Amino acid sequence: MTRKVSAPFTFFARAAAGERPRTPAPRAPGGREAAVWGGTSDEGRARGQPAGGRARGACPRSPPGPLPRGPSSSPTRPAPQGPGAPGASTSRAGPTRPGDARGPPAPGLRRPESGNTWSLRAKSAHHRVESFACQTSRLLSVVSGGGQRRARKACRFGGELPVPAAGFRSGWELAGLGRGGGMSEERAAPASAVSLGEVRSWPEALCRRELPSVLPQLLSMYQHSDNWMEHIQILKVIVEMFLPHMNHLTLEDTLFSQVLPKTVELFDDMMCELTSQARGLSSQNVEIQTTLRNILQTMVQLLGALSGCVQHVCATQESIVLESINSLPSSVLHVIKSTFVHCKNSESVYSGHLHLVSDLLQALFKEAYSLQKQLMELLDMVCVGPSGDESGGTLSTAAGGSEDLLFVIHSLLDICSVISSMDHAFHANTWKFIIKQSIKHQAMIKSQLKHSAVVSGLCEDTLLSFHSCVQLAEQTAESGAQDTVDYRLFQKTLKLCRFFANSLLHYTKEFLPFLSDSCCALHQLYLQIHSKLPPSLYAAGIPDPQQEEIAAAFLVTLDLLISQLLTFQPFVQVVLDSKLELPCELQLPQCLLLVVILEKLPSQPEGVQALWCTEGQSSGASARLSLLGAVFFSFEQCSAELSLPVRLQGAQGRGRAAAAVTLYQHVCVRLCAFIASVHPSLFPQLDTALLDAVLSAHMITSLLAVDAWCFLARYGTAELCAHHVTVVAHLIKSCPGECHQLTSLSVLLRRLLFLMAPPQQVEFLRNFSPRVAANLLLWQCVSFQAFPAELREQAALEVCRAGADQGREWLSGPRRLGELAGLNTLLSALLAVCTSAGDALDSAQRAAVVDVGSRLWALLDVTLVTSQPSVQQTLSLLCPLLGFFIQTLDPQLISQDEVLPSLSSVFALLLVGRSWLLEQHALEAFMQFAEGTNQEEIVPQCLSSEETKNKVVSFLEKAGCVEETAAARVERVKQEKGVFSGPFANSAAAEGAKGSSSQPYAKRARPASPLEEEYRSALRAAAGALEVLEVLLPKAPAPDWLLGSVELLQQRLGGLRRGLLSGARLDGVAVDSGGSITHQHVL
């Protein structure tokens, strides 16, 4: 499959390559070619020349009028009297060579035929043109009536054009090239005048001799002319006949400053007219078609005249100072830019009728293309300062030269943005010239250059060419061949990518101090490119061979660019900005960029390392993270890439090939390598960053920091490891309660103890003895397998003895709920001993643990378990702890007759849970129960439905519940990442920051019950009845039945009291108002 290229690109790229236009010129009414603009005249065909083409020295139009002869010129020759006169040309084109004695036909204007309706404006314009024609005929020798008419007709168009019936404005001006009129009366020629055609026949010696007298008159004619064709003819005469004999040191004052502004104005007028008339272009409207083609060919001739100016200056053998020709580059660049913009927008300008003028548009583009190449060659030769010394000369001279050069470079920047999609080679050459000139003259212009525009333009073009390269690589994968057109285009586009990247690298190296505002663009360029390459989830489907080519030819340059920017403080600020918010597709590239910087930083000086590894805030900028802090923060944003996981190319070891590794391995290995080589002065920043990451609410970030910390402990000395253990132990003791920070610190302490030397482990046992109740918080985190056998037994005995003693002390006290946190800590420490050092306990210590656990079990209450988190934690610790001693427990403590019937219903309920996490834990617990129980008849009772049976079978076979393709999984993970990165993640983080606590709930105001008012009313009624009885008793003796009724009422009050208390007690255990667990007796 070939890449679909837009029509303008193919169109103008073919023109720049030198192909001839393919679209034929439209024909005028009557079957003849429409003038000489778009076709080939009969004489031109005979000579093999297209009439629309422009040869050097050719003048395809009749000269507009006479030229006053110089003082030494030869006598005036009479102009030919008509087509049959001697010397008259049979072609519409004038003489094409100097020395050609044939003069052009006299200018004139044919009167409109009778019957045409003229508007007042048309008549006025006609009279002005006729007045000019009369002046022309007066200045020439006697001309016959027919010659006068031909002169008037040719005065504006230079050819025979029909007069339309619509009148002068709609016909002649529409089909012509000017705004009407001729030269003003101010330009009266002397009696001794000579025509432009005659001047064109002068030899070089005569032109050189008559230059002082003729040039001012030509310039005056040029300035006062309002006719487009007359402008072109005069300009061509000046450029072709007199410019070669002028002093190059005075070109600016004598010629360029007087001619070129008017030329630019003329070109803008033609462009405006071309754009406005193009709206009415159609194949049926021949008049507008002819007008547009005439304008386009006139513009081609104007560009050719400017090319002549540039070529003449280029041909000068002496040194050229830019200030001496400053009007030339500015005028040429303005015309070139306007031309390219028009060609780029040609599809919309010509409204689907581009094919009617495509041949001339190609010629116009080709002429502008050639003109810019010639101008760049000229500018490469000129000097900015006087006498070739750019650092010398006066201050004003140097400033003027630098301003001219800046204008040239900035104008070419604008042109680059126009031609980027029109011709890739030309675009690249323009950029090459910009970079070359900027570096060549950087001493003069480095502080005035628009560096941000240069860098942003290079970044944009690099990214666009890279995207094209990726698309072509995908198409190559679809075609499956390496010799297709797409693959060859891929290779060419890859070379273009490398060129832009190298240009950016070169420019950045030379102007780095001035690129503060460009760091964001450079940062984004790196991220955008890597987001389209593996292992990004948003990468394109690029075959492996093309990936390797891109990496070898393009990504290497980007890597060098990062190395170049490491010492630049504004780049550090951009990369480590604490408020940096990136979309999902750029988060992995940001992480990989930071890892690349980790790899490069150890080779940098201490100051550069300190710049990256310390937090800070520049004036007017947001706070800056440290490099390690940014790595951890960016790493936690890559949850989707970690969950898949994505694979990266690992480091190549000795004797083995590089294997693919996960993102976690990739980051962890390079983080540890950086820790091993970081400068010692940065150890405080390293410790701070690691501790902050360990305390992170994100589990994967905390795990990465724990791995890096353990590497540091292993890589460092034993004293350093012991110091870290001490610090972490104190941090654990200072935690306010159950929280994620305590969990992460516990994991770190557990792993660091394995890395301690035995002497330091003995010191740890002595400094944090289990006999101190506050230290039991540490021992619940410890794996006793980290200690040697003797030390393990000693530590287990001390923890077991301290735990049993503190448990008995709690049981003999008031047993308040607020004290359950300490009880849970000692139970957790006892569980750690039984898990990792149970064989070190003797029978007495085992009995002590069973005694404490059994007594606590007997105190548990269903109401308390369901209402208090601390009691729930106690139950979760007692179950596994008593499970170690299940064979020695009192059978009355846990009755199997009561547990087994309920166990099957509990499993049946949990296995159909809607939470995937609860379901996973239920499946794991059921598997352990089914494998270890001797009550086999209960197992089938747990599987209450066919769905549950299938779920258990799938779990046993480790089969996925849903078949998911790799592409579908990637899409699902991307969607999940988008959800987790949204507001849900922020709210979850806020909730996580609050932490969790196992403390009993604080007492709070009881909410009003909807029946509370009825209770109050009933109680008031009962109290009122009792008051009535109290009033009646003194008045008369009580009946016999009253005593029995009061006793029954008292029993009912007792039952009511017990009912009120049953909400806070069950089976003899209740909570008093002080929050302690007490035994109650049922009344």
Side-chain angles (χ1 to χ4, degrees):
M1 178 185 297
T2 58
R3 180 179 58 166
K4 182 179 180 180
V5 186
S6 62
F9 173 78
T10 308
F11 177 66
F12 296 112
R14 188 166 62 245
E19 295 185 21
R20 297 188 59 184
R22 301 178 183 177
T23 305
R27 295 183 178 273
R32 299 185 57 186
E33 299 288 345
V36 296
W37 305 94
T40 303
S41 64
D42 297 337
E43 183 177 337
R45 290 193 196 94
R47 293 182 297 179
Q49 296 179 352
R54 181 188 54 78
R56 296 293 180 207
C59 179
R61 289 291 173 268
S62 302
L67 179 66
R69 119 184 9 258
S72 304
S73 59
S74 57
T76 305
R77 286 195 303 252
Q81 299 302 311
S89 174
T90 59
S91 172
R92 296 193 189 97
T96 59
R97 298 181 303 275
D100 192 346
R102 294 176 298 174
L109 183 65
R110 187 177 65 180
R111 293 182 183 275
E113 299 175 2
S114 59
N116 289 346
T117 302
W118 288 22
S119 64
L120 181 61
R121 182 176 180 183
K123 290 180 180 179
S124 175
H126 171 69
H127 289 317
R128 288 197 304 271
V129 178
E130 188 174 19
S131 175
F132 166 70
C134 292
Q135 294 177 20
T136 305
S137 62
R138 221 174 27 246
L139 292 173
L140 294 174
S141 57
V142 179
V143 181
S144 64
Q148 291 180 11
R149 285 192 299 271
R150 284 192 297 273
R152 292 192 189 100
K153 179 181 63 178
C155 138
R156 181 166 181 175
F157 304 120
E160 182 178 357
L161 291 175
V163 180
F168 184 84
R169 178 66 181 176
S170 61
W172 287 3
E173 287 197 0
L174 190 63
L177 298 177
R179 292 165 295 183
M183 290 181 291
S184 65
E185 296 180 1
E186 299 176 6
R187 203 190 64 195
S192 58
V194 65
S195 66
L196 287 176
E198 184 177 352
V199 172
R200 296 178 66 88
S201 65
W202 286 1
E204 292 185 8
L206 182 58
C207 291
R208 187 183 304 110
R209 186 172 64 250
E210 299 297 333
L211 174 64
S213 59
V214 175
L215 182 61
Q217 300 177 46
L218 288 172
L219 293 177
S220 177
M221 294 170 61
Y222 189 81
Q223 291 294 332
H224 294 88
S225 174
D226 291 330
N227 182 272
W228 292 349
M229 273 307 303
E230 185 179 16
H231 272 290
I232 299 299
Q233 298 301 330
I234 297 174
L235 181 61
K236 291 177 67 175
V237 168
I238 294 174
V239 173
E240 296 172 5
M241 306 299 296
F242 296 98
L243 179 60
H245 309 295
M246 300 176 66
N247 186 353
H248 72 278
L249 297 177
T250 61
L251 283 177
E252 177 63 25
D253 296 331
T254 58
L255 180 62
F256 291 157
S257 62
Q258 301 185 50
V259 172
L260 294 180
K262 187 73 173 181
T263 304
V264 171
E265 181 183 354
L266 170 68
F267 187 86
D268 289 342
D269 289 343
M270 286 191 288
M271 186 63 72
C272 181
E273 183 73 11
L274 184 67
T275 304
S276 62
Q277 295 287 351
R279 300 190 186 102
L281 178 63
S282 66
S283 57
Q284 290 79 20
N285 196 332
V286 179
E287 295 174 2
I288 293 183
Q289 183 177 341
T290 303
T291 299
L292 296 179
R293 294 183 64 84
N294 290 346
I295 296 176
L296 286 171
Q297 191 165 7
T298 305
M299 296 169 75
V300 171
Q301 294 183 36
L302 188 147
L303 291 176
L306 292 178
S307 296
C309 296
V310 176
Q311 287 176 352
H312 168 71
V313 180
C314 285
T316 304
Q317 300 297 324
E318 302 179 22
S319 176
I320 301 295
V321 180
L322 181 58
E323 191 177 11
S324 64
I325 57 168
N326 59 356
S327 296
L328 181 61
S330 59
S331 302
V332 169
L333 288 171
H334 176 86
V335 171
I336 289 173
K337 180 183 176 182
S338 298
T339 301
F340 288 150
V341 169
H342 182 78
C343 292
K344 183 177 183 180
N345 301 330
S346 57
E347 282 285 352
S348 59
V349 170
Y350 293 97
S351 304
H353 298 91
L354 179 63
H355 63 282
L356 298 176
V357 291
S358 60
D359 55 334
L360 290 177
L361 279 176
Q362 286 186 5
L364 184 65
F365 179 84
K366 185 176 180 181
E367 196 68 45
Y369 177 95
S370 175
L371 178 57
Q372 181 175 326
K373 288 181 63 177
Q374 295 169 11
L375 179 64
M376 291 192 297
E377 292 176 5
L378 169 62
L379 294 173
D380 202 25
M381 298 166 49
V382 301
C383 303
V384 178
S387 303
D389 183 10
E390 299 179 5
S391 61
T394 63
L395 182 61
S396 60
T397 302
S402 63
E403 290 178 359
D404 294 336
L405 183 60
L406 284 170
F407 179 83
V408 168
I409 293 176
H410 296 158
S411 298
L412 288 173
L413 276 176
D414 296 337
I415 291 175
C416 274
S417 63
V418 176
I419 64 175
S420 59
S421 60
M422 300 176 70
D423 188 289
H424 290 165
F426 186 42
H427 183 218
N429 287 333
T430 305
W431 267 119
K432 183 178 181 181
F433 177 82
I434 292 173
I435 303 300
K436 180 180 179 181
Q437 294 300 316
S438 300
I439 295 175
K440 178 180 178 181
H441 305 287
Q442 63 174 314
M444 297 181 61
I445 63 176
K446 59 185 178 182
S447 58
Q448 290 85 29
L449 266 176
K450 295 180 180 179
H451 297 288
S452 59
V454 175
V455 174
S456 61
L458 282 173
C459 290
E460 181 180 353
D461 290 336
T462 302
L463 194 59
L464 288 175
S465 59
F466 173 74
H467 286 163
S468 299
C469 191
V470 169
Q471 292 175 4
L472 290 169
E474 290 181 294
Q475 295 174 9
T476 302
E478 294 174 3
S479 60
Q482 295 293 318
D483 57 349
T484 61
V485 175
D486 286 331
Y487 182 70
R488 291 193 293 271
L489 284 175
F490 164 78
Q491 291 182 318
K492 291 181 179 180
T493 310
L494 183 57
K495 290 180 181 179
L496 192 64
C497 292
R498 182 172 57 189
F499 164 77
F500 284 126
N502 286 330
S503 300
L504 188 60
L505 180 67
H506 198 186
Y507 191 89
T508 303
K509 178 181 179 182
E510 298 294 334
F511 297 100
L512 184 61
F514 302 92
L515 303 184
S516 300
D517 298 334
S518 303
C519 291
C520 185
L522 296 170
H523 179 221
Q524 288 293 318
L525 173 66
Y526 187 94
L527 301 185
Q528 291 284 352
I529 288 175
H530 282 273
S531 69
K532 299 300 180 183
L533 296 173
S536 173
L537 299 180
Y538 305 87
I542 307 176
D544 291 340
Q546 278 71 42
Q547 288 186 36
E548 295 175 359
E549 290 186 55
I550 292 175
F554 179 51
L555 298 185
V556 172
T557 307
L558 287 183
D559 188 71
L560 295 175
L561 179 63
I562 298 301
S563 300
Q564 210 164 255
L565 294 169
L566 281 180
T567 60
F568 196 37
Q569 194 273 337
F571 182 73
V572 180
Q573 178 68 36
V574 168
V575 175
L576 302 181
D577 190 357
S578 61
K579 296 184 178 180
L580 182 64
E581 294 183 1
L582 296 172
C584 294
E585 63 270 17
L586 299 185
Q587 290 170 355
L588 176 63
Q590 170 73 359
C591 181
L592 297 179
L593 171 61
L594 295 173
V595 171
V596 168
I597 295 173
L598 279 180
E599 292 183 286
K600 296 178 179 294
L601 209 54
S603 62
Q604 297 294 322
E606 178 185 354
V608 178
Q609 294 188 32
L611 177 65
W612 282 94
C613 293
T614 55
E615 297 179 352
Q617 184 171 7
S618 304
S619 58
S622 57
R624 184 182 74 238
L625 300 174
S626 69
L627 177 60
L628 289 173
V631 168
F632 287 117
F633 176 78
S634 179
F635 180 75
E636 71 188 26
Q637 306 299 316
C638 303
S639 57
E641 291 81 1
L642 290 166
S643 63
L644 277 176
V646 297
R647 299 282 177 174
L648 296 93
Q649 191 69 21
Q652 187 173 1
R654 293 181 180 179
R656 55 186 176 85
V661 297
T662 63
L663 176 62
Y664 187 95
Q665 293 172 308
H666 178 82
V667 176
C668 186
V669 168
R670 283 151 183 81
L671 178 60
C672 293
F674 174 78
I675 291 174
S677 57
V678 71
H679 196 274
S681 62
L682 299 176
F683 283 169
Q685 288 79 12
L686 173 62
D687 293 341
T688 301
L690 288 177
L691 180 58
D692 288 342
V694 168
L695 300 179
S696 171
H698 293 79
M699 181 191 68
I700 193 67
T701 305
S702 178
L703 181 58
L704 177 64
V706 168
D707 284 339
W709 201 321
C710 291
F711 169 81
L712 176 61
R714 179 179 294 178
Y715 187 81
T717 62
E719 290 76 13
L720 178 64
C721 181
H723 173 69
H724 285 170
V725 168
T726 302
V727 171
V728 174
H730 284 292
L731 288 173
I732 291 176
K733 291 177 65 176
S734 64
C735 285
E738 289 292 332
C739 54
H740 67 84
Q741 293 91 344
L742 176 61
T743 303
S744 299
L745 290 171
S746 301
V747 173
L748 177 60
L749 178 64
R750 179 186 180 94
R751 294 182 59 180
L752 288 177
L753 285 174
F754 280 92
L755 304 176
M756 291 182 72
Q760 278 76 28
Q761 289 179 334
V762 174
E763 187 70 19
F764 176 80
L765 180 60
R766 182 168 58 251
N767 293 336
F768 299 98
S769 173
R771 299 187 184 93
V772 180
N775 291 336
L776 283 179
L777 186 64
L778 299 176
W779 292 98
Q780 69 176 348
C781 315
V782 172
S783 173
F784 290 82
Q785 295 295 324
F787 301 107
E790 183 178 352
L791 187 61
R792 178 168 63 248
E793 182 177 355
Q794 177 185 351
L797 292 176
E798 290 188 14
V799 171
C800 186
R801 186 179 300 113
D805 293 343
Q806 294 181 28
R808 295 191 191 97
E809 181 181 353
W810 186 89
L811 287 169
S812 61
R815 301 190 294 276
R816 295 181 179 274
L817 283 175
E819 299 173 353
L820 273 183
L823 177 65
N824 291 337
T825 298
L826 70 89
L827 289 177
S828 181
L830 291 174
L831 181 61
V833 172
C834 295
T835 302
S836 57
D839 54 348
L841 300 178
D842 56 22
S843 57
Q845 292 165 340
R846 288 171 177 268
V849 172
V850 170
D851 177 62
V852 172
S854 300
R855 293 173 62 184
L856 287 173
W857 185 273
L859 291 176
L860 290 181
D861 177 76
V862 174
T863 304
L864 292 175
V865 171
T866 57
S867 61
Q868 295 294 335
S870 56
V871 181
Q872 294 170 8
Q873 186 179 11
T874 303
L875 176 63
S876 65
L877 292 171
L878 278 176
C879 286
L881 180 62
L882 295 177
F884 284 104
F885 311 102
I886 192 66
Q887 302 298 331
T888 59
L889 288 179
D890 185 359
Q892 296 181 357
L893 186 64
I894 301 178
S895 175
Q896 292 187 4
D897 295 337
E898 298 178 359
V899 173
L900 291 180
S902 302
L903 191 60
S904 60
S905 59
V906 170
F907 273 121
L909 180 64
L910 294 177
L911 288 174
V912 296
R914 294 184 178 274
S915 170
W916 64 268
L917 183 60
L918 180 61
E919 178 182 304
Q920 179 70 19
H921 284 292
L923 287 170
E924 293 176 356
F926 178 74
M927 291 299 104
Q928 294 178 4
F929 170 74
E931 293 173 358
T933 185
N934 54 5
Q935 306 289 334
E936 298 180 357
E937 67 279 2
I938 300 178
V939 175
Q941 300 175 12
C942 299
L943 306 178
S944 58
S945 64
E946 194 67 27
E947 180 183 357
T948 305
K949 294 179 182 179
N950 295 334
K951 188 182 299 184
V952 172
V953 171
S954 298
F955 182 79
L956 288 172
E957 297 176 351
K958 298 182 179 180
C961 298
V962 179
E963 293 294 335
E964 189 177 33
T965 63
R969 185 182 183 192
V970 170
E971 288 301 320
R972 175 179 57 81
V973 170
K974 287 164 61 175
Q975 293 177 4
E976 291 174 353
K977 182 175 182 179
V979 173
F980 294 149
S981 301
F984 171 77
N986 298 331
S987 61
E991 290 296 328
K994 298 179 181 178
S996 60
S997 175
S998 59
Q999 300 298 324
Y1001 293 138
K1003 292 184 178 179
R1004 61 187 66 178
R1006 179 182 298 176
S1009 171
L1011 299 178
E1012 183 174 356
E1013 189 60 31
E1014 296 185 18
Y1015 278 115
R1016 294 182 183 275
S1017 177
L1019 186 60
R1020 284 196 296 268
L1026 291 177
E1027 291 177 0
V1028 171
L1029 290 176
E1030 292 175 352
V1031 172
L1032 292 175
L1033 283 176
K1035 294 182 179 181
D1040 296 338
W1041 53 267
L1042 182 60
L1043 181 60
S1045 298
V1046 170
E1047 291 177 354
L1048 291 175
L1049 182 61
Q1050 185 178 3
Q1051 292 179 5
R1052 293 181 65 181
L1053 289 175
L1056 181 61
R1057 179 175 180 273
R1058 289 192 297 271
L1060 293 174
L1061 295 176
S1062 63
R1065 57 167 289 281
L1066 188 62
D1067 295 335
V1069 182
V1071 183
D1072 65 5
S1073 60
S1076 62
I1077 300 178
T1078 58
H1079 288 276
Q1080 302 289 340
H1081 299 281
V1082 179
L1083 296 178

